[in-house]
Amino acid sequence: MALRESLDPDSSIWHWMAVDLHFYRTKQNLSCAQLGLLLGCNRQSVSNMEAARPGWRLDDDQAKKLDELWVLNGHFSRLLRYARARHDADWFAQHVAYERRATVMRIYEALIVPGLLQTEEYARALLTAGQVVKDVDAAVAARMKRQAVLTREDPPLLWALLNQSILDQPVGGPEVMRAQLARLLEVSGLANVVIRVVPRSLGAHVGLDGSFTITTVDEGDVAYMEAVGGGRLSLDRAEIRRYGVRYDRIGADALSRDSTRSLIEQAMENMA
Protein backbone atom coordinates (compact mmCIF):
# COMPACT_ATOMS: atom_id res chain seq x y z
CA MET A 1 0.00 0.00 0.00
CA ALA A 2 1.34 3.45 -0.92
CA LEU A 3 2.04 5.74 2.01
CA ARG A 4 -0.57 8.27 0.85
CA GLU A 5 -3.24 5.56 0.69
CA SER A 6 -2.60 4.69 4.34
CA LEU A 7 -3.44 8.20 5.57
CA ASP A 8 -6.35 8.56 7.99
CA PRO A 9 -7.82 12.09 7.82
CA ASP A 10 -10.38 11.20 10.51
CA SER A 11 -7.69 10.70 13.15
CA SER A 12 -5.03 13.25 12.21
CA ILE A 13 -5.33 16.86 11.06
CA TRP A 14 -1.95 16.49 9.33
CA HIS A 15 -3.35 13.58 7.34
CA TRP A 16 -6.51 15.60 6.60
CA MET A 17 -4.38 18.41 5.21
CA ALA A 18 -2.37 15.99 3.05
CA VAL A 19 -5.49 14.30 1.68
CA ASP A 20 -7.13 17.64 0.89
CA LEU A 21 -3.99 18.88 -0.85
CA HIS A 22 -4.09 15.86 -3.16
CA PHE A 23 -7.86 16.22 -3.66
CA TYR A 24 -7.78 19.89 -4.68
CA ARG A 25 -4.66 19.48 -6.82
CA THR A 26 -6.15 16.66 -8.88
CA LYS A 27 -9.50 18.46 -9.05
CA GLN A 28 -7.66 21.36 -10.70
CA ASN A 29 -5.83 18.94 -13.05
CA LEU A 30 -2.46 20.09 -11.78
CA SER A 31 0.61 17.88 -11.65
CA CYS A 32 2.87 17.87 -8.59
CA ALA A 33 5.45 19.79 -10.62
CA GLN A 34 2.91 22.45 -11.64
CA LEU A 35 1.68 22.95 -8.10
CA GLY A 36 5.28 23.05 -6.91
CA LEU A 37 5.95 26.01 -9.20
CA LEU A 38 3.00 27.85 -7.66
CA LEU A 39 4.16 27.09 -4.11
CA GLY A 40 7.86 27.73 -4.68
CA CYS A 41 9.00 24.14 -4.26
CA ASN A 42 9.72 21.11 -6.45
CA ARG A 43 7.59 18.16 -7.54
CA GLN A 44 9.00 15.82 -4.89
CA SER A 45 8.18 18.28 -2.12
CA VAL A 46 4.52 18.33 -3.16
CA SER A 47 4.50 14.52 -3.30
CA ASN A 48 5.98 14.37 0.19
CA MET A 49 3.38 16.82 1.51
CA GLU A 50 0.56 14.72 0.06
CA ALA A 51 2.00 11.64 1.77
CA ALA A 52 2.37 13.51 5.11
CA ARG A 53 6.01 12.46 5.30
CA PRO A 54 7.95 13.69 8.35
CA GLY A 55 9.44 17.13 7.85
CA TRP A 56 7.30 17.91 4.79
CA ARG A 57 4.40 20.19 5.65
CA LEU A 58 2.85 23.28 4.18
CA ASP A 59 4.19 26.49 5.67
CA ASP A 60 2.08 29.57 6.37
CA ASP A 61 2.84 31.25 3.04
CA GLN A 62 2.06 28.11 1.05
CA ALA A 63 -1.23 27.55 2.88
CA LYS A 64 -2.23 31.15 2.18
CA LYS A 65 -1.34 30.78 -1.52
CA LEU A 66 -3.52 27.68 -1.82
CA ASP A 67 -6.46 29.37 -0.12
CA GLU A 68 -6.20 32.33 -2.48
CA LEU A 69 -5.52 30.21 -5.59
CA TRP A 70 -8.50 27.93 -5.07
CA VAL A 71 -10.72 30.45 -3.19
CA LEU A 72 -11.02 28.25 -0.11
CA ASN A 73 -11.83 30.90 2.50
CA GLY A 74 -8.77 30.16 4.62
CA HIS A 75 -9.19 26.37 4.62
CA PHE A 76 -5.53 25.33 4.56
CA SER A 77 -4.42 28.19 6.80
CA ARG A 78 -7.00 27.14 9.37
CA LEU A 79 -6.03 23.47 9.19
CA LEU A 80 -2.37 24.37 9.62
CA ARG A 81 -3.10 26.51 12.67
CA TYR A 82 -5.19 23.80 14.36
CA ALA A 83 -2.73 21.02 13.49
CA ARG A 84 0.09 22.86 15.24
CA ALA A 85 -1.95 23.60 18.37
CA ARG A 86 -4.02 20.46 18.76
CA HIS A 87 -3.33 17.59 21.15
CA ASP A 88 -3.43 14.28 19.32
CA ALA A 89 -4.08 11.21 21.46
CA ASP A 90 -2.19 9.11 18.93
CA TRP A 91 1.03 11.13 19.08
CA PHE A 92 2.91 8.63 21.26
CA ALA A 93 1.92 5.74 18.99
CA GLN A 94 3.24 7.72 16.03
CA HIS A 95 6.44 8.47 17.95
CA VAL A 96 6.97 4.73 18.59
CA ALA A 97 6.36 4.00 14.90
CA TYR A 98 9.12 6.45 13.96
CA GLU A 99 11.31 4.96 16.69
CA ARG A 100 11.15 1.54 15.02
CA ARG A 101 12.53 3.04 11.78
CA ALA A 102 15.05 5.39 13.38
CA THR A 103 18.58 5.80 12.11
CA VAL A 104 19.52 8.30 14.85
CA MET A 105 17.78 9.20 18.12
CA ARG A 106 18.73 12.15 20.31
CA ILE A 107 17.06 11.88 23.72
CA TYR A 108 17.13 14.40 26.53
CA GLU A 109 15.50 13.20 29.74
CA ALA A 110 15.01 15.45 32.73
CA LEU A 111 13.25 13.16 35.23
CA ILE A 112 13.49 9.42 34.57
CA VAL A 113 15.56 6.88 32.67
CA PRO A 114 14.33 6.84 29.04
CA GLY A 115 12.00 3.96 28.20
CA LEU A 116 14.48 2.43 25.76
CA LEU A 117 17.01 2.07 28.59
CA GLN A 118 14.77 0.94 31.46
CA THR A 119 14.86 -2.42 33.21
CA GLU A 120 11.61 -4.31 33.55
CA GLU A 121 11.47 -3.70 37.32
CA TYR A 122 12.16 0.04 36.95
CA ALA A 123 9.45 0.34 34.29
CA ARG A 124 6.99 -1.58 36.45
CA ALA A 125 7.64 0.70 39.42
CA LEU A 126 7.02 3.80 37.30
CA LEU A 127 3.87 2.48 35.66
CA THR A 128 2.45 1.25 38.96
CA ALA A 129 3.10 4.57 40.69
CA GLY A 130 1.68 6.53 37.77
CA GLN A 131 -1.69 4.73 37.90
CA VAL A 132 -2.41 5.75 34.29
CA VAL A 133 -2.59 2.28 32.71
CA LYS A 134 -5.06 -0.47 33.55
CA ASP A 135 -2.83 -3.38 32.53
CA VAL A 136 0.63 -2.77 33.95
CA ASP A 137 1.96 -6.12 32.74
CA ALA A 138 0.99 -5.36 29.15
CA ALA A 139 2.46 -1.85 29.36
CA VAL A 140 5.75 -3.20 30.72
CA ALA A 141 5.90 -5.85 28.01
CA ALA A 142 5.28 -3.22 25.32
CA ARG A 143 8.07 -1.03 26.71
CA MET A 144 10.52 -3.94 26.80
CA LYS A 145 9.59 -4.88 23.23
CA ARG A 146 10.49 -1.36 22.06
CA GLN A 147 14.06 -1.88 23.28
CA ALA A 148 14.72 -4.45 20.53
CA VAL A 149 15.42 -1.50 18.23
CA LEU A 150 18.80 -1.00 19.95
CA THR A 151 20.08 -4.49 19.12
CA ARG A 152 18.46 -5.09 15.75
CA GLU A 153 20.54 -5.51 12.62
CA ASP A 154 21.81 -2.04 11.65
CA PRO A 155 20.53 -0.38 14.87
CA PRO A 156 20.07 3.38 15.27
CA LEU A 157 22.68 5.56 16.90
CA LEU A 158 21.26 6.58 20.27
CA TRP A 159 22.53 9.75 21.95
CA ALA A 160 21.07 10.10 25.46
CA LEU A 161 21.51 13.08 27.77
CA LEU A 162 20.30 12.42 31.33
CA ASN A 163 19.90 14.86 34.19
CA GLN A 164 22.05 13.76 37.15
CA SER A 165 19.01 13.71 39.46
CA ILE A 166 17.80 10.62 37.56
CA LEU A 167 20.70 8.62 39.00
CA ASP A 168 19.80 9.51 42.59
CA GLN A 169 16.03 8.95 42.48
CA PRO A 170 15.47 5.45 43.98
CA VAL A 171 12.61 4.39 41.71
CA GLY A 172 11.34 1.02 42.96
CA GLY A 173 13.73 1.07 45.90
CA PRO A 174 17.52 0.72 46.20
CA GLU A 175 17.73 -2.80 44.74
CA VAL A 176 15.70 -1.95 41.65
CA MET A 177 17.64 1.28 41.20
CA ARG A 178 21.03 -0.41 41.46
CA ALA A 179 19.97 -2.86 38.77
CA GLN A 180 18.82 0.06 36.62
CA LEU A 181 22.13 1.85 37.01
CA ALA A 182 23.93 -1.37 36.10
CA ARG A 183 21.75 -1.54 32.99
CA LEU A 184 22.84 1.98 32.01
CA LEU A 185 26.47 0.93 32.34
CA GLU A 186 25.83 -2.17 30.24
CA VAL A 187 23.99 -0.34 27.47
CA SER A 188 26.58 2.43 27.40
CA GLY A 189 29.05 -0.19 26.22
CA LEU A 190 27.14 -0.77 22.99
CA ALA A 191 28.82 0.74 19.94
CA ASN A 192 25.62 2.52 18.90
CA VAL A 193 24.75 4.03 22.31
CA VAL A 194 26.21 7.18 23.88
CA ILE A 195 25.03 8.14 27.36
CA ARG A 196 26.13 11.39 28.98
CA VAL A 197 24.97 12.97 32.22
CA VAL A 198 24.14 16.64 32.67
CA PRO A 199 25.71 17.44 36.07
CA ARG A 200 23.72 18.95 38.89
CA SER A 201 26.45 21.53 39.35
CA LEU A 202 25.41 23.13 36.07
CA GLY A 203 22.43 24.71 37.81
CA ALA A 204 19.81 26.27 35.55
CA HIS A 205 19.84 25.17 31.91
CA VAL A 206 17.41 25.00 29.01
CA GLY A 207 16.74 21.29 29.59
CA LEU A 208 14.86 22.00 32.80
CA ASP A 209 11.85 22.97 30.69
CA GLY A 210 11.16 19.32 29.87
CA SER A 211 12.19 16.11 28.15
CA PHE A 212 12.19 15.56 24.39
CA THR A 213 13.41 13.25 21.65
CA ILE A 214 14.52 14.04 18.11
CA THR A 215 14.21 11.00 15.84
CA THR A 216 15.81 10.76 12.42
CA VAL A 217 14.20 8.49 9.82
CA ASP A 218 14.89 8.23 6.10
CA GLU A 219 12.43 11.02 5.30
CA GLY A 220 13.71 13.51 7.85
CA ASP A 221 13.50 14.42 11.55
CA VAL A 222 10.57 14.41 13.95
CA ALA A 223 10.48 15.70 17.52
CA TYR A 224 8.49 14.32 20.44
CA MET A 225 8.03 16.44 23.55
CA GLU A 226 6.94 14.73 26.76
CA ALA A 227 4.24 16.20 28.99
CA VAL A 228 2.01 15.14 31.87
CA GLY A 229 -1.03 13.34 30.50
CA GLY A 230 0.41 13.00 26.99
CA GLY A 231 3.16 14.34 24.80
CA ARG A 232 3.25 16.17 21.49
CA LEU A 233 4.77 15.13 18.18
CA SER A 234 6.09 17.82 15.86
CA LEU A 235 6.92 17.51 12.18
CA ASP A 236 7.46 21.22 11.70
CA ARG A 237 10.98 21.71 10.38
CA ALA A 238 11.53 25.08 12.06
CA GLU A 239 10.43 23.75 15.45
CA ILE A 240 12.57 20.62 15.07
CA ARG A 241 15.60 22.81 14.30
CA ARG A 242 14.95 24.75 17.50
CA TYR A 243 14.91 21.54 19.51
CA GLY A 244 18.12 20.49 17.79
CA VAL A 245 19.77 23.68 18.99
CA ARG A 246 18.36 23.09 22.47
CA TYR A 247 19.80 19.57 22.48
CA ASP A 248 23.23 20.85 21.45
CA ARG A 249 23.17 23.52 24.15
CA ILE A 250 22.38 20.92 26.82
CA GLY A 251 24.99 18.53 25.46
CA ALA A 252 27.68 21.20 25.43
CA ASP A 253 27.70 21.14 29.25
CA ALA A 254 27.23 17.38 29.74
CA LEU A 255 29.93 15.13 31.15
CA SER A 256 32.05 12.95 28.88
CA ARG A 257 31.17 9.28 28.37
CA ASP A 258 33.90 8.13 30.74
CA SER A 259 33.00 10.66 33.42
CA THR A 260 29.37 9.62 33.07
CA ARG A 261 30.23 5.96 33.67
CA SER A 262 32.23 6.94 36.76
CA LEU A 263 29.29 8.94 38.09
CA ILE A 264 26.88 6.05 37.50
CA GLU A 265 29.24 3.68 39.35
CA GLN A 266 29.42 6.15 42.25
CA ALA A 267 25.62 6.40 42.32
CA MET A 268 25.40 2.60 42.54
CA GLU A 269 27.74 2.60 45.54
CA ASN A 270 25.71 5.34 47.24
CA MET A 271 22.38 3.56 46.68
CA ALA A 272 21.86 2.05 50.15
Side-chain angles (χ1 to χ4, degrees), residues 14 16-18 20-22 35 39 41 45-46 48-50 52-53 55-67 70 75-77 79-81 83-84 235-237:
W14 293 109
W16 180 5
M17 197 181 317
D20 275 11
L21 180 60
H22 177 76
L35 182 57
L39 295 180
C41 59
S45 295
V46 174
N48 287 333
M49 290 175 188
E50 292 186 356
R53 288 188 171 90
W56 297 96
R57 296 293 182 266
L58 291 170
D59 60 29
D60 292 307
D61 289 339
Q62 290 169 333
K64 183 178 179 181
K65 285 180 182 178
L66 290 177
D67 290 334
W70 294 329
H75 173 75
F76 281 102
S77 296
L79 282 180
L80 184 58
R81 185 167 61 252
R84 287 171 175 167
L235 298 98
D236 181 78
R237 282 177 286 180

Side-chain angles (χ1 to χ4, degrees), residues 94-116:
Q94 293 180 47
H95 164 63
V96 171
Y98 287 122
E99 184 179 86
R100 288 194 292 266
R101 299 192 295 113
T103 57
V104 180
M105 297 189 71
R106 289 174 286 168
I107 299 174
Y108 166 69
E109 182 57 64
L111 299 173
I112 60 174
V113 172
L116 289 178

Side-chain angles (χ1 to χ4, degrees), residues 173-186:
E175 184 176 348
V176 169
M177 195 62 205
R178 278 196 297 270
Q180 176 60 75
L181 293 171
R183 172 63 174 163
L184 290 178
L185 286 176
E186 176 189 1

